[in-house]
Amino acid sequence: MSTAEELDAIGIDRLREIGSLKWSVFPEAIGAFVAEMDFPPAPAIAAAMKGAIDDGLTGYLPAAVRTRMTEATARWQRDRYGWDVPAERIRPVPDVLTALRATIDYFTAPGSKIVLPTPAYMPFLTIPAMHDREIIEVPMLVEDGRHVYDLDGIDRAFADGGGLLILCNPYNPLGRVFERAELEAVAEVVARHGARVFSDEIHAPLVFAPHRHVPYASISAVTAGHTITAASASKAFNLPGLKAAQVILTNDADAETWARPEVAWAEHGTANLGVIATTAAFDESREWLDGTLDYLDGNRRILGELLAEHIPDMGYRAPEGTYIAWLDARGLGIEGSPAAFFREHAGVAMTDGIACGAAGEGYLRFILATPRPVIEQAVRQMAAALREHAAR
Amino acid sequence: MSTAEELDAIGIDRLREIGSLKWSVFPEAIGAFVAEMDFPPAPAIAAAMKGAIDDGLTGYLPAAVRTRMTEATARWQRDRYGWDVPAERIRPVPDVLTALRATIDYFTAPGSKIVLPTPAYMPFLTIPAMHDREIIEVPMLVEDGRHVYDLDGIDRAFADGGGLLILCNPYNPLGRVFERAELEAVAEVVARHGARVFSDEIHAPLVFAPHRHVPYASISAVTAGHTITAASASKAFNLPGLKAAQVILTNDADAETWARPEVAWAEHGTANLGVIATTAAFDESREWLDGTLDYLDGNRRILGELLAEHIPDMGYRAPEGTYIAWLDARGLGIEGSPAAFFREHAGVAMTDGIACGAAGEGYLRFILATPRPVIEQAVRQMAAALREHAAR
């Protein structure tokens, strides 16, 4: 595990030299728009992958390698979230979006609409159209400064032809970690309509105390019966390019459906080194993650302090989980897209909230998994841009 | 590059310990049923992947990394096959089957049938059903002991509703490397029907002199106009589990179609380390490949000598390309599946030809990319099994 001092010392020049997506799309700007980490990999993960390379374990995915990952995932779910799910019900997939596509195709009624709380992870807004499916956006409500589900809105969306609710918990981009009672309330609405849930829980390892991740399918027989869960080590251990995630099936009928060749095809693209990295992540990198979470915990607080000092009109509530900050730029007096403004005038590349749905207009999505000096430099550049340009 | 002596010295115990798919599905048998290599990776490939791991280049696939692969692929096609194709027309995909699925969905008329020369790579026989598409099998003919296309049969298949011909060149499982004139004759039939071709050329780097690989789309404006080509370093450099291959588009209309989000989705699962490995393969591992081809050339000859000595009634013609031997077991007096016979009585696991289509009945698919002592042991065990059991 790198120390906080070592992470602090990773400079922008070095990040550009490595050339991750975040640091190469906008070569002049600070990269804060894509949810990936700027930190070196966990040593156990790097060692496991290098060992596999030396062995030449680069052919077709062996069953034993796959099983080691599903068993490691089962241990992880049990140890970290208290959820006992058999390894046989955990299926390898390349990524959460492949899991979503299979869910839409094979686990929802043909033509039924997709119910999507917004703001949402951007691809959730574009994928349903590839399946000729309509989306019903249900904007989150704000209660005591905290985003909560609009249960009546979800209810109306189901009544209006919705068949699948996409949950994202911990919530990208809002940073919420939902409490059991909140999830139970959602489940009640879903069950009333006989609908299905796709629960994206790939940020689950990234939760800050005292919050706790509650797997949606784990809360009752009812949620186990209507949920397809997607899990992954990709976010917490920075492995999205390695193509390994997990679908967790929690009822017999879904397991039977999944076994059909055209459905199980979703497993096809799962890559060896991703599977091996995931196993090392869940089984051997827990301390590394705890250290990384400590650092991220500092980052979310420091961002708050920096904004309070330099851009006090920027709305921010530290995320309960994820390394995504959801910034409210509506009070800054910026005309048009705040992301375009800051990219052009501050040299800071963030996602415009509007890409997360209409409910995101005026907001910014800022990725916190970066060295602290980068956060400080970003905020200073944003404050300077506001001083120079915002009043035009 | 390992020497022939080093490759010879890789023992079965070590292969089982590594645990590739080929050496783990049938733990008691010699693994010869899946087209993967038992050799250590090319040093440049291993080094490139390890460097990326140290850098933590495990996030989302950066454009520059993708472009380095498509440019390396363009160089490879030009240098090795004399085909000048712009890098922009080379698209990353996770594997050849993903490319085939996209081709069926977006480059053929709805409901049109798939024309498949047989024996064929096994998944080509099962994938069309996932798209509700019928297959018309067109068995290859034998002329002077060599497999050739049944042009009349292909013609009739198109007349019967065929819309897409799947070519595989070099031919898995037959080992043919088609001559220009043979491909031109196929093209004439395809063009007459206004049909399309999916050309699987992932074995192209594996061709034995004096044979030469001719990319089907390269032979004329007509073939460029009706072909989707799939290329990959996966077979020759043993990388199928790393999830990187290439689609080569050779006309403007196809490039436009590919740009649609639901079509370009085929690129989504392409994995970083596979892309990085492929770049190192095409750019930096040519000598390694030449050495490996020398060894495989020896293997294909040695198999012939061993069969002539120990199982003279087994039909075998050394492959012109690929590391796949297609064995004619029809004259051995085995009742039922020859693969089942040899797996049970000889402890040698091969693919039964019937899995490659009806035309494969009585044949065996044996993978040659293994240490020579393994080939010798396999043939000896098969011969012993025949002596003990075949006459029952």
Side-chain angles (χ1 to χ4, degrees):
Chain A
M1 174 60 203
S2 309
T3 63
E5 290 68 30
E6 285 166 341
L7 296 182
D8 282 351
I10 300 170
I12 287 178
D13 288 350
R14 174 66 188 139
L15 293 170
R16 286 203 205 292
E17 184 191 16
I18 292 171
S20 67
L21 182 67
K22 195 162 72 167
W23 288 97
S24 60
V25 172
F26 305 104
E28 306 296 314
I30 289 176
F33 69 100
V34 60
E36 56 187 18
M37 297 172 101
D38 294 332
F39 310 144
I45 293 176
M49 287 198 284
K50 289 177 181 181
I53 290 167
D54 286 334
D55 282 348
L57 206 58
T58 52
Y60 292 94
L61 182 63
V65 175
R66 191 179 59 217
T67 300
R68 281 197 286 274
M69 179 183 80
T70 55
E71 289 175 351
T73 305
R75 279 188 290 274
W76 178 268
Q77 293 287 340
R78 191 187 58 222
D79 296 349
R80 301 286 280 209
Y81 319 128
W83 187 21
D84 224 334
V85 60
E88 304 77 56
R89 285 291 172 83
I90 300 174
R91 307 303 315 173
V93 288
D95 48 54
V96 67
L97 296 180
T98 299
L100 174 60
R101 298 201 67 176
T103 300
I104 293 174
D105 278 340
Y106 301 110
F107 296 89
T108 69
S112 60
K113 299 176 187 172
I114 309 299
V115 181
L116 184 62
T118 54
Y121 175 50
M122 300 76 78
F124 291 161
L125 286 146
T126 54
I127 280 182
M130 296 188 196
H131 300 254
D132 292 320
R133 294 298 185 89
E134 204 178 304
I135 292 172
I136 305 176
E137 295 186 31
V138 182
M140 297 290 285
L141 303 176
V142 179
E143 222 168 61
D144 301 329
R146 209 171 68 150
H147 283 95
V148 297
Y149 287 117
D150 177 0
L151 297 173
D152 292 338
I154 293 172
D155 187 62
R156 280 193 303 273
F158 283 131
D160 187 27
L164 177 75
L165 171 68
I166 299 181
L167 288 187
C168 184
N169 179 37
Y171 197 132
N172 171 5
L174 294 180
R176 277 298 320 279
V177 174
F178 294 100
E179 292 165 19
R180 182 177 298 269
E182 295 179 277
L183 297 173
E184 284 169 348
V186 170
E188 198 274 318
V189 179
V190 175
R192 195 187 312 147
H193 292 277
R196 300 297 310 247
V197 166
F198 178 78
S199 188
D200 165 10
E201 304 184 4
I202 66 173
H203 289 85
L206 293 163
V207 168
F208 304 107
H211 303 281
R212 281 206 66 216
H213 175 67
V214 178
Y216 178 79
S218 77
I219 63 181
S220 69
V222 171
T223 61
H226 68 217
T227 306
I228 303 283
T229 302
S232 182
S234 62
K235 288 293 159 189
F237 301 92
N238 201 40
L239 312 172
L242 301 189
K243 295 296 156 196
Q246 304 86 39
V247 160
I248 304 178
L249 303 169
T250 40
N251 62 76
D252 294 345
D254 287 353
E256 218 169 281
T257 300
W258 190 271
R260 283 161 42 198
E262 69 273 24
V263 188
W265 179 265
E267 302 182 5
H268 173 77
T270 315
N272 292 16
L273 293 174
V275 169
I276 289 163
T278 300
T279 307
F282 286 154
D283 270 355
E284 302 175 58
S285 306
R286 296 180 180 197
E287 273 183 56
W288 181 92
L289 179 64
D290 292 340
T292 301
L293 269 174
D294 271 353
Y295 190 79
L296 293 171
D297 189 22
N299 284 12
R300 68 183 183 134
R301 292 171 197 284
I302 282 162
L303 176 64
E305 293 163 15
L306 286 163
L307 289 172
E309 184 181 345
H310 300 287
I311 318 177
D313 291 335
M314 182 83 91
Y316 169 68
R317 186 183 173 96
E320 301 165 354
T322 82
Y323 41 65
I324 297 163
W326 186 247
L327 307 178
D328 183 354
R330 292 174 304 171
L332 300 180
I334 297 169
E335 275 182 42
S337 157
F341 172 85
F342 286 115
R343 196 159 60 237
E344 184 180 349
H345 299 298
V348 179
M350 295 172 280
T351 306
D352 199 298
I354 196 82
C356 303
E361 189 168 6
Y363 288 82
L364 294 160
R365 183 173 170 273
F366 179 96
I367 305 305
L368 285 164
T370 198
R372 287 174 192 162
V374 174
I375 296 177
E376 185 168 343
Q377 187 176 334
V379 172
R380 286 182 185 282
Q381 290 179 196
M382 288 163 69
L386 284 168
R387 281 194 304 274
E388 289 172 34
H389 297 276
R392 290 189 310 178
Chain B
M1 175 61 205
S2 309
T3 63
E5 290 68 32
E6 285 166 341
L7 296 181
D8 282 352
I10 300 169
I12 287 179
D13 287 352
R14 174 65 186 138
L15 293 169
R16 286 204 205 290
E17 183 191 18
I18 291 170
S20 66
L21 182 65
K22 195 163 70 167
W23 288 98
S24 60
V25 171
F26 304 105
E28 305 298 315
I30 288 176
F33 68 100
V34 59
E36 56 186 19
M37 297 171 100
D38 294 333
F39 311 144
I45 294 176
M49 288 199 282
K50 289 178 180 180
I53 290 166
D54 286 334
D55 283 349
L57 205 58
T58 51
Y60 292 94
L61 182 63
V65 175
R66 192 178 57 216
T67 301
R68 281 198 286 276
M69 180 184 78
T70 55
E71 289 175 352
T73 305
R75 279 189 290 275
W76 177 268
Q77 293 285 340
R78 192 185 59 223
D79 297 350
R80 300 286 281 210
Y81 320 127
W83 187 22
D84 223 334
V85 60
E88 305 77 55
R89 285 291 172 83
I90 299 173
R91 308 302 315 172
V93 288
D95 49 54
V96 66
L97 297 179
T98 300
L100 173 61
R101 298 201 66 176
T103 300
I104 293 174
D105 278 341
Y106 300 111
F107 295 89
T108 69
S112 60
K113 300 176 186 172
I114 310 299
V115 181
L116 184 62
T118 53
Y121 175 50
M122 300 75 80
F124 291 162
L125 286 147
T126 53
I127 281 182
M130 297 186 194
H131 300 254
D132 290 320
R133 294 298 186 90
E134 204 178 302
I135 293 173
I136 305 177
E137 294 187 30
V138 182
M140 298 290 284
L141 302 177
V142 180
E143 223 170 60
D144 300 330
R146 211 172 66 153
H147 284 95
V148 297
Y149 287 116
D150 178 359
L151 297 173
D152 292 338
I154 293 172
D155 187 64
R156 280 193 302 273
F158 283 131
D160 187 28
L164 177 73
L165 172 67
I166 299 181
L167 288 187
C168 183
N169 179 36
Y171 197 131
N172 171 5
L174 294 181
R176 276 299 320 277
V177 175
F178 294 100
E179 292 164 19
R180 183 177 298 268
E182 295 180 276
L183 297 173
E184 283 168 349
V186 170
E188 199 274 321
V189 179
V190 174
R192 194 186 314 147
H193 291 277
R196 300 297 311 251
V197 166
F198 178 79
S199 189
D200 164 9
E201 303 185 4
I202 66 172
H203 289 84
L206 292 164
V207 169
F208 304 107
H211 303 282
R212 280 205 67 217
H213 176 67
V214 177
Y216 178 79
S218 77
I219 63 180
S220 71
V222 171
T223 60
H226 68 218
T227 306
I228 304 283
T229 302
S232 181
S234 61
K235 288 293 159 188
F237 301 92
N238 202 39
L239 313 172
L242 301 188
K243 294 296 151 195
Q246 305 86 40
V247 160
I248 305 178
L249 304 168
T250 41
N251 64 76
D252 293 347
D254 286 352
E256 218 168 279
T257 300
W258 190 271
R260 284 161 42 198
E262 69 273 25
V263 189
W265 178 266
E267 301 182 5
H268 174 76
T270 315
N272 292 15
L273 293 175
V275 168
I276 288 162
T278 299
T279 307
F282 286 154
D283 272 354
E284 301 175 60
S285 306
R286 296 180 182 198
E287 274 182 56
W288 181 93
L289 179 64
D290 292 339
T292 301
L293 269 174
D294 272 351
Y295 191 78
L296 293 171
D297 190 20
N299 284 11
R300 68 181 181 134
R301 292 171 197 283
I302 282 162
L303 176 63
E305 293 163 14
L306 287 164
L307 289 173
E309 184 183 344
H310 299 287
I311 317 178
D313 292 335
M314 181 83 91
Y316 169 69
R317 187 184 172 97
E320 301 165 354
T322 81
Y323 41 64
I324 297 164
W326 185 247
L327 307 179
D328 181 354
R330 292 175 302 170
L332 300 180
I334 296 169
E335 272 183 46
S337 158
F341 172 84
F342 285 115
R343 196 159 62 237
E344 184 181 347
H345 298 298
V348 178
M350 295 171 281
T351 307
D352 200 296
I354 196 81
C356 302
E361 188 168 5
Y363 289 82
L364 294 160
R365 184 173 171 270
F366 179 95
I367 305 306
L368 286 164
T370 197
R372 287 175 192 163
V374 173
I375 296 178
E376 186 170 342
Q377 186 175 337
V379 173
R380 286 183 186 281
Q381 291 179 194
M382 288 161 70
L386 283 169
R387 280 195 305 275
E388 288 172 34
H389 296 279
R392 290 191 310 177

